Amino acid sequence: MKIDILTIFPDFFRGPLDFGIVRRARETGLVEIVIHDLRNFTKDKHRTVDDRPFGGGEGMVLKPEPIFECVDSLGIAAREGRLGREGSDQAQGAGKQSVILLSAQGRRLDQVLASELSGLARMVLICGRYEGVDERISEHLADREISIGDYVLSGGELGAAVIVDTVTRLIPGAVGNAASTRQESFTAAAEVALDTAFAGEGPFGFCSGQVRAPLDSVPSSTCGSGGLLDYPHYTRPAEFRGMAVPEVLVNGNHEQIRRWRRKTALAKTLRNRPDLLEGAALGEEDRKLLAEVKGEGSEFRV
Ligand code: SAM
């Protein structure tokens, strides 16, 4: 995937994209990230990127010209006739590109959207600053506006780094064990069902073999998240400052471990994000486990 980031602070990205999975993905050529300094697309000697708002009001607004010119230089035409608005068939799917404006007013980023974006061939991320960007960017250039949460940041750069990170790890090959990105918090049931068989033993736990299931089936209490939060993880030492790893994880009974993991995932979701339970694909066993959790109340601590 090719990723272009448009910003007035190109140095901001020295660091955030140079570690771990994103760095490896860049080094192996899975992603190519190019940072574009919007000041290079200005025409005046002061390299002006902002101006006062029409109609008066607070602060400054990023001008449209440098942003349009920068996107033009990438060989991407203005939106009309190129991509439809977010949600259209054209704007999605492998081999496609998307011009994304980072905005507090955009669609909130979640795992479903990240997964959708990971299928793109090219992603252009426009970082706003000051009071925001001239609305013509949203109206005529970007095909999506994305927010990373319901709060206001001083600029789109942090949001761009967040999108790059979460999308990159979903590109096949970026994470060593692809199945692990399907078992994490928020992963939709449909994606868990796509997992091919896997089985692995590690410190304090075992995830039982999981076979490819039909898309419409629910994960029947597997290790996969199925839309829930992830189950708790532990590693060595088995006891640390008087805090012991749950006994079930060291007893080697794979069925008990699987059941415990699903139950703790349900309990943690109920405690921290009960809203997720509404959209989660719960099987028969899940419902029983959830009833157990509710019955045990505070006795069942995660
Ligand atoms: N006046 C804008 C509003 O009230 O919605 C806020 C502008 S903000 C100070 C400046 C820039 O930061 C925005 O143009 C956008 O690019 C970025 N930004 C702020 N909050 C964001 C969020 N939650 N997600 C993504 N980008 C955000």
Side-chain angles (χ1 to χ4, degrees):
M1 176 189 287
K2 183 154 189 194
I3 303 172
D4 298 280
I5 302 178
L6 282 54
T7 173
I8 61 168
F9 294 128
D11 288 346
F12 184 96
F13 294 95
R14 286 180 199 278
L17 310 178
D18 293 334
F19 297 91
I21 289 167
V22 175
R23 178 189 179 142
R24 226 174 21 251
R26 295 175 75 184
E27 286 171 352
T28 58
L30 266 185
V31 294
E32 181 191 349
I33 304 173
V34 184
I35 313 292
H36 304 272
D37 183 350
L38 285 170
R39 290 191 196 278
N40 293 339
F41 295 87
T42 55
K43 299 233 161 49
D44 64 313
K45 71 172 184 209
H46 299 295
R47 305 188 354 130
T48 310
V49 287
D50 59 322
D51 209 338
R52 290 192 304 276
F54 276 118
E58 298 303 313
M60 301 295 272
V61 176
L62 278 187
K63 290 162 69 59
E65 306 98 304
I67 299 176
F68 269 85
E69 299 234 349
C70 182
V71 173
D72 286 350
S73 78
L74 305 177
I76 297 173
R79 192 173 81 221
E80 276 80 8
R82 177 174 53 85
L83 291 171
R85 248 302 186 197
E86 183 182 322
S88 81
D89 290 346
Q90 281 174 302
Q92 296 171 10
K96 295 284 188 271
Q97 54 197 11
S98 187
V99 178
I100 298 165
L101 174 64
L102 275 300
S103 164
Q105 300 154 24
R107 171 176 166 187
R108 212 165 353 150
L109 181 66
D110 59 16
Q111 197 68 9
V112 172
L113 180 52
S115 170
E116 210 173 291
L117 298 176
S118 71
L120 294 168
R122 188 170 198 180
M123 194 163 70
V124 178
L125 301 171
I126 302 171
C127 305
R129 276 274 157 182
Y130 312 123
E131 280 308 310
V133 302
D134 187 288
E135 191 67 14
R136 284 164 289 193
I137 304 302
S138 156
E139 289 169 347
H140 302 289
L141 187 64
D143 51 83
R144 297 169 195 257
E145 282 180 69
I146 296 182
S147 160
I148 62 161
D150 289 349
Y151 40 77
V152 177
L153 298 162
S154 349
E157 288 77 7
L158 278 169
V162 167
I163 292 178
V164 169
D165 188 291
T166 188
V167 168
T168 298
R169 63 200 311 285
L170 295 175
I171 297 174
V175 174
N177 176 5
S180 72
T181 60
R182 293 235 176 89
Q183 297 166 54
E184 292 174 315
S185 302
F186 313 115
T187 306
E191 297 204 33
V192 175
L194 274 175
D195 271 346
T196 45
F198 71 92
E201 232 164 331
F204 312 125
F206 181 90
C207 198
S208 61
Q210 194 175 338
V211 292
R212 184 180 285 268
L215 261 176
D216 58 353
S217 75
V218 294
S220 56
S221 300
T222 64
C223 290
S225 107
L228 303 177
L229 298 181
D230 199 4
Y231 56 79
H233 301 267
Y234 295 87
T235 188
R236 280 177 273 264
E239 179 149 348
F240 171 67
R241 295 189 179 179
M243 297 174 279
V245 164
E247 174 63 24
V248 62
L249 297 181
V250 291
N251 72 10
N253 184 323
H254 300 154
E255 175 51 21
Q256 282 181 9
I257 291 169
R258 183 194 64 77
R259 207 171 171 279
W260 180 87
R261 283 183 165 167
R262 193 62 183 172
K263 189 171 173 180
T264 50
L266 286 159
K268 206 162 185 183
T269 307
L270 180 67
R271 188 185 67 198
N272 292 352
R273 291 290 305 275
D275 55 303
L276 293 178
L277 286 171
E278 282 163 35
L282 302 184
E284 181 87 358
E285 188 189 27
D286 289 327
R287 276 184 274 276
K288 282 192 195 140
L289 291 172
L290 197 54
E292 277 179 33
V293 168
K294 286 179 177 166
E296 289 160 20
S298 58
E299 279 170 41
F300 189 77
R301 295 293 306 161
V302 182

